[in-house]
Amino acid sequence: MRHPEFPLSAELIYLNHAAVAPWPKRTSTAVSKFAQQNTLYGSSCYLDWLQKETQLRVQLQTLLNAPDATDIALVKNTSEALSFVAYGLDWHSGDNIVSSNEEFPSNRIVWQSLSELGVEFREADLAQAATPEDALFALVDKQTRLITISSIQFASGLRLDIDRIGQFCQQNNILFCIDAIQSLGAVQFDVQKCQADFVMADGHKWMLGPEGLGVFYTSPASREKLKLTQYGWHMMDNTHNYENKPWSIHPTAQRFECGSPNTLGIHALSASLSLLLETGMETVEKQVLANARYLMAAIKSRPYLQLLTDETAKLQSGIVVFKHKQLSKEALYAHLQKNHVVCAMRGEGIRFSAHFYNSTQELDKAMLLIPD
C-alpha cells in the first residue's frame, strides 16, 4: 500500500532518492496554492512569502542542528555553495586541499580549478587505509588549509565518520567542508557535533524538494573568512531599504544570497521538510537504514548478484549498490527501467536508494524483476 503522501503512478517502484526524488503530495499542493495565489493576487501577499522564507530557514536549522537560523543561506544548489567557499577563501601558492577519489564532480572540479592559484587538490584513496578517515588524514601536512568531503559517497554509499574528521580538523587548525546532499533528509545530521565550518546540499534528493534550491551553512567565524564573489540588493544589511547609501554587507548568512529569492522553490521545499520533521529524523533514518539492510540481504540471497556496498561498515547509508554476475550494468539498468524500477547506474553497478516511505513489498517486487 502506498504512503498517503506519495501517490506515485501504480506501475512505478521508486528507488532513486539519491538522484532526484518525487515530491510529497503536500508539496504539490503547496506549489499549486502558491501559483493560484500569484495568479489571482500577484505580489499582494509578499509579506506572507517572507514569513515562509523565515520558516524554511528555521526548518533547515532544525535539520542541521545549526546554532541559529541566521547561519542558513538559501542557495541555488550545492555547486554554487562550494564555489562560494572555493573562491571566497584567501589562498596562497603552496596551500593544499584534501578530499577523496570518490567525490561527485561538484566537490572535485571547483577545487581543481584553484590549481591556477598554486593550490593543490589531493585525493585520498578511501580504501587504502585502516579507515576512510585515516586515508584522508594521511594526506594532511602543514600546508593543508581545508578538508572537503561528501558525508556519504554517491556511487558507493560509503558513510564517513564526519564527527571524527571534524575533531581532527579542529585539532589541526584546518577548515572542514561537507557536501551533505546524500545525508540531509535521509539520516540525522548535527553540524555542531561534527564541527563543520561549511555544509551544503541541494533539496531535490532525500529532502524531497525541487531542484534549484539548496542550503548553505556557515559557522559565524568561518563566514567571516569568505570574501564575497556575488553582489546584489538581497545581500545588503537593511535589505529592503533601497536607498541604502552607503551600504554594508548583511551580517548573517544572507550575505550569500545576492538577488531575489526563489519564492516558488521556498514554498515547495518548506512543505517537503515539514513531512520529514513531522515524521522525525530519528524515525526517517531508522526506516531508511532498515530498507537498505533489507535490500542488502535480498541481494546477498541471490547467487547471481554481487553486493558492492560494504554491509560491515560502522556507519550505514540509504544507498545500496550491486551488480549482476552475468549481465552488464548497462543491460541490467535498461531492463529495470523498462520494468518501471526507477534507479541509477553508478560506480560498478546499479544503485538503489529507498526512502523511509518505501515498503518492503515494493522492495520485494523490485528484486523479483531482476533476471537470474
Side-chain angles (χ1 to χ4, degrees):
M1 183 177 178
R2 296 282 193 186
H3 189 288
E5 283 283 356
F6 295 92
L8 288 157
S9 180
E11 75 273 12
L12 282 185
I13 304 172
Y14 208 96
L15 303 177
N16 204 26
H17 297 88
V20 179
W23 292 357
K25 185 177 180 180
R26 66 178 67 189
T27 304
S28 179
T29 299
V31 168
S32 296
K33 286 183 176 179
F34 177 82
Q36 186 70 3
Q37 182 187 68
N38 209 330
T39 300
L40 295 176
Y41 303 105
S43 63
S44 301
C45 301
Y46 202 87
L47 292 179
D48 293 335
W49 301 351
L50 293 179
Q51 288 180 358
K52 180 60 68 174
E53 180 183 333
T54 298
Q55 180 186 356
L56 176 58
R57 293 181 199 276
V58 173
Q59 289 171 307
L60 289 165
Q61 175 198 359
T62 302
L63 195 66
L64 279 86
N65 191 33
D68 197 275
T70 60
D71 298 325
I72 301 298
L74 304 177
V75 295
K76 291 193 290 290
N77 47 54
T78 311
S79 299
E80 181 180 53
L82 286 164
S83 294
F84 285 151
V85 178
Y87 282 88
L89 291 172
D90 183 21
W91 299 102
H92 302 95
S93 182
D95 288 344
N96 69 69
I97 299 162
V98 171
S99 188
S100 85
N101 62 346
E102 297 188 22
E103 297 302 308
F104 192 77
S106 297
N107 197 30
R108 172 168 45 84
I109 62 174
V110 68
W111 310 111
Q112 291 173 328
S113 73
L114 296 174
S115 63
E116 295 181 357
L117 303 178
V119 178
E120 180 187 3
F121 180 64
R122 298 179 174 181
E123 297 177 87
D125 186 339
L126 298 180
Q128 295 302 310
T131 69
E133 298 77 30
D134 288 330
L136 291 172
F137 303 157
L139 294 188
V140 170
D141 61 24
K142 292 181 179 180
Q143 299 303 117
T144 303
R145 291 279 307 284
L146 178 87
I147 290 179
T148 181
I149 196 73
S150 295
S151 50
I152 295 172
Q153 294 299 331
F154 79 103
S156 67
L158 175 66
R159 183 176 174 188
L160 281 87
D161 187 344
I162 56 175
D163 294 348
R164 184 183 173 203
I165 299 171
Q167 183 178 31
F168 177 89
C169 288
Q170 286 290 316
Q171 292 171 346
N172 291 276
N173 194 30
I174 297 170
L175 293 168
F176 185 25
C177 178
I178 302 176
D179 176 348
I181 200 167
Q182 298 294 356
S183 288
L184 294 182
V187 297
Q188 296 175 90
F189 193 97
D190 190 334
V191 72
Q192 297 186 65
K193 187 178 180 185
C194 70
Q195 304 180 80
D197 295 284
F198 314 108
V199 179
M200 56 282 293
D202 208 326
H204 66 273
K205 298 184 187 292
W206 301 94
M207 285 190 274
L208 304 169
E211 291 187 288
L213 184 62
V215 57
F216 178 33
Y217 163 85
T218 52
S219 70
S222 300
R223 185 155 62 239
E224 296 301 325
K225 298 179 188 295
L226 299 181
K227 63 179 181 288
L228 296 177
T229 56
Q230 294 183 11
Y231 291 84
W233 71 275
H234 201 259
M235 49 76 67
M236 296 189 301
D237 195 12
N238 199 7
T239 305
H240 294 282
N241 175 11
Y242 305 130
E243 302 301 323
N244 196 346
K245 302 176 184 179
W247 60 274
S248 58
I249 296 170
H250 205 288
T252 75
Q254 188 176 316
R255 66 181 63 185
F256 302 109
E257 303 169 11
C258 69
S260 298
N262 178 0
T263 46
L264 178 61
I266 286 168
H267 279 73
L269 184 55
S270 178
S272 296
L273 292 185
S274 73
L275 173 60
L276 294 171
L277 295 176
E278 285 173 17
T279 305
M281 281 309 303
E282 182 177 358
T283 299
V284 169
E285 176 179 323
K286 182 178 179 181
Q287 193 55 49
V288 166
L289 298 186
N291 280 339
R293 288 193 298 270
Y294 191 89
L295 283 169
M296 286 190 283
I299 291 163
K300 286 183 62 183
S301 72
R302 288 157 170 78
Y304 49 88
L305 299 179
Q306 180 182 344
L307 178 65
L308 300 177
T309 298
D310 182 4
E311 64 172 338
T312 67
K314 180 179 69 172
L315 296 172
Q316 294 291 331
S317 74
I319 291 174
V320 177
V321 184
F322 65 97
K323 68 179 181 179
H324 201 288
K325 293 181 179 178
Q326 281 79 43
L327 295 176
S328 68
K329 63 180 180 180
E330 292 82 4
L332 179 54
Y333 177 71
H335 173 81
L336 289 168
Q337 291 293 99
K338 182 179 179 180
N339 285 275
H340 310 295
V341 179
V342 186
C343 57
M345 188 167 55
R346 295 289 187 271
E348 297 179 26
I350 300 300
R351 183 183 70 186
F352 281 175
S353 49
H355 217 313
F356 79 99
Y357 70 87
N358 287 113
S359 66
T360 53
Q361 289 80 10
E362 288 180 291
L363 305 185
D364 286 338
K365 186 177 178 182
M367 294 304 302
L368 287 173
L369 288 169
I370 299 174
D372 58 18

